[in-house]
Amino acid sequence: MTRFRSMVSAAALALAVMTPVMGGLASPALAKGMLRLAQTQDLVSLDPIATSDNASIFAQLLIFDTLLRPSKDATKLEPGLAESWQVSADGTTYTFKLREAKFSDGTPVTSADVAFSLKRAGSDASNWKRFFSGIETIETPDQRTVILTLKKTFTPLLNNLALFSSAILPQRAFEAAPDRFFEKPIGSGPFTVAAWNKGQGLSLKKNASYWQAGKPDLDGAELLVIPEGNSRVLKLQAGEIDVALEIPLNQLQSLSRSGAIKTAVADVLRSDFVMMNTKKKPFDDVRVRQALNYAVDKEGLVKALLYGTGKVANSPMPPMAYADSTLKPYSHDVAKAKALLKEAGYADGFKTSLLIHSGRPLHRQLGQAMQSALAQVGVTAEIKLVEGGTHWSTTKAGDYEMAVSYASSDTIDPDQLAGFLIVNPERANAYHTEWKSERVNELYEKERVTADGPERGGMFKEMIKLAHEGAPSVFLFYPGTSYAYRSNVEGFEVLPTSNFRLEDVKLK
């Protein structure tokens, strides 16, 4: 699933660079057990079926539970609210046994709450309906048993049940006030909402009813909005915040020298690329698309822009389950790029435009690098900076030629991102490139009814190879996520799924 970050207004920026006091909890010297975490933007909504931006996802995963969740190393699924589960031999019946858990208001989590939440996730009101449409019936024979019956085998289901949009809500509390529920939602996760001051951030407090014994250790947390990277660094150095996400890579080394701050770059399931609109000339010609892949020095970009912390990409898919490590990325070969352009009828190059989200410093740098690289093969690219919402709506409408973007995954199964990035028709029609391969579409349908294992893995590898050859994007790199925290913070880490588990964090 891809995620989109919107720009923060100047007013929000002015508020964010001050040390906030929110919900009566915050202030640097107050509340010894309060973790102050700075991120780049505010969340959009706390409703799990209504959003897809990172800030909203990260907050929801701290407030709500799902039946299952990815392990910390993103290699398997582990129990969430379901302490165990069984799948029938034909793959159409899933039986879940719920653990004894309570919502933050002290009421028990029941099978009725699970049935209600999953039906809501699969309803017409949900942005994620397609992930649950295969569920035919949901039975609740007792308060701690849930049985899902599918119309047909659907292998990605367990991973979809670990997705944030599968969050379990208390049915009675929601139905009592559906219009106000997400102002201060009730969940069974480690934290609950104290206050949400839009533009400043979200204050969380410890859920005293949380089912994991002894967790969370923190009294609460503040997810602060500080859009500008240097401001996050300065506040971290001054002790005004405890953790900062997305630290400028050129500052990581200097930050760690004092010993008061620790830095890290997490390997995450993310891929950065330049989309090409294959409905518009000259990008309707695969030779042109391949030529632009050869024209860019991806190794140079990793060294110059990522300070060596990423890897060159061989497709739009990030390196995750069933990735093909033997598939070589496009090499940097200007002569080959020029030859392909000549063969396609563009020996003298062409003019195009490059759409860039103005709120992403890395992508602004990429724009300049792409402009220079393309000029070497005769392609003149005009950079167009737009805010996040415009970037999304413009590419979605197909009103662009080239656009710098990225995708990241919240689950460990590649079905989700494959459907988004390389399948057409699907939710985004090969992520707004409109590239189409009937063979990819055929394999996509087959892998969804094939049991996990080598056969299904082979299908994904063929899909990725076809996307590599079809080149709907200029595949750039797989970047890490940089972050830093003060030395009194224990247990904080950014996971491969890009989120973080604050229930595991302690302040010394």
Side-chain angles (χ1 to χ4, degrees), residues 73-248:
D73 62 3
T75 61
K76 59 183 181 297
L77 294 174
E78 63 184 26
L81 281 177
E83 61 183 7
S84 65
W85 60 92
Q86 292 182 327
V87 183
S88 64
D90 64 359
T92 61
T93 304
Y94 291 69
T95 303
F96 298 90
K97 290 295 182 182
L98 304 182
R99 67 176 72 253
E100 291 187 12
K102 293 181 179 179
F103 291 108
S104 57
D105 64 354
T107 59
V109 177
T110 69
S111 56
D113 297 310
V114 174
F116 165 77
S117 301
L118 295 184
K119 287 176 182 177
R120 183 172 183 267
S123 71
D124 290 338
S126 173
N127 289 347
W128 306 98
K129 175 182 177 180
R130 64 196 179 283
F131 291 113
F132 310 98
S133 58
I135 299 175
E136 189 166 42
T137 62
I138 304 178
E139 299 174 74
T140 55
D142 59 58
Q143 286 203 328
R144 292 181 59 194
T145 304
V146 179
I147 302 174
L148 307 182
T149 303
L150 309 189
K151 299 171 185 175
K152 62 179 182 180
T153 303
F154 184 58
T155 304
L157 180 65
L158 287 176
N159 273 276
N160 291 352
L161 293 175
L163 187 66
F164 63 93
S165 56
S166 304
I168 307 305
L169 315 178
Q171 181 178 4
R172 287 185 181 179
F174 177 87
E175 291 181 338
D179 295 335
R180 300 191 307 275
F181 180 82
F182 292 107
E183 293 174 8
K184 283 192 176 182
I186 296 167
S188 61
F191 296 91
T192 187
V193 175
W196 177 15
N197 291 349
K198 295 184 179 181
Q200 286 185 269
L202 184 74
S203 282
L204 301 171
K205 60 183 179 181
K206 177 178 182 175
N207 175 10
S209 299
Y210 188 47
W211 54 268
Q212 286 201 58
K215 294 184 179 182
D217 188 75
L218 297 171
D219 295 323
E222 290 185 359
L223 309 183
L224 306 174
V225 181
I226 306 180
E228 208 279 312
N230 288 329
S231 295
R232 293 194 297 278
V233 169
L234 290 172
K235 286 184 172 294
L236 189 66
Q237 290 174 318
E240 295 177 19
I241 57 175
D242 305 299
V243 179
L245 302 180
E246 297 189 47
I247 292 293

Side-chain angles (χ1 to χ4, degrees), residues 419-463:
F420 188 84
L421 292 172
I422 60 177
V423 176
N424 181 11
E426 238 284 351
R427 178 192 171 201
N429 295 343
Y431 198 3
H432 307 161
T433 66
E434 295 295 339
W435 176 74
K436 188 172 184 177
S437 164
E438 294 295 350
R439 178 59 176 165
V440 166
N441 293 352
E442 178 187 349
L443 289 165
Y444 180 61
E445 293 302 320
K446 286 183 176 179
E447 63 84 4
R448 301 185 122 195
V449 296
T450 303
D452 268 324
E455 183 182 2
R456 186 170 185 248
M459 294 175 188
F460 279 112
K461 288 181 180 179
E462 185 180 346
M463 291 167 70

Side-chain angles (χ1 to χ4, degrees), residues 29-48:
L30 298 178
K32 180 181 177 182
M34 291 294 295
L35 182 84
R36 300 155 302 176
L37 182 148
Q39 52 190 17
T40 62
Q41 72 171 58
D42 199 5
L43 55 149
V44 174
S45 170
L46 286 170
D47 185 348

Side-chain angles (χ1 to χ4, degrees), residues 290-353:
Q290 290 177 343
L292 300 194
N293 269 283
Y294 283 116
V296 179
D297 180 5
K298 286 89 175 274
E299 290 281 3
L301 292 179
V302 169
K303 291 176 182 176
L305 301 185
L306 302 182
Y307 294 80
T309 61
K311 297 178 181 178
V312 174
N314 63 8
S315 82
M317 292 288 289
M320 55 194 307
Y322 302 134
D324 187 354
S325 59
T326 67
L327 182 62
K328 301 293 185 185
Y330 282 87
S331 60
H332 181 217
D333 192 332
V334 172
K336 192 163 189 175
K338 287 181 177 179
L340 281 167
L341 287 174
K342 183 178 180 179
E343 186 182 323
Y346 298 95
D348 297 326
F350 57 88
K351 292 183 179 180
T352 188
S353 60

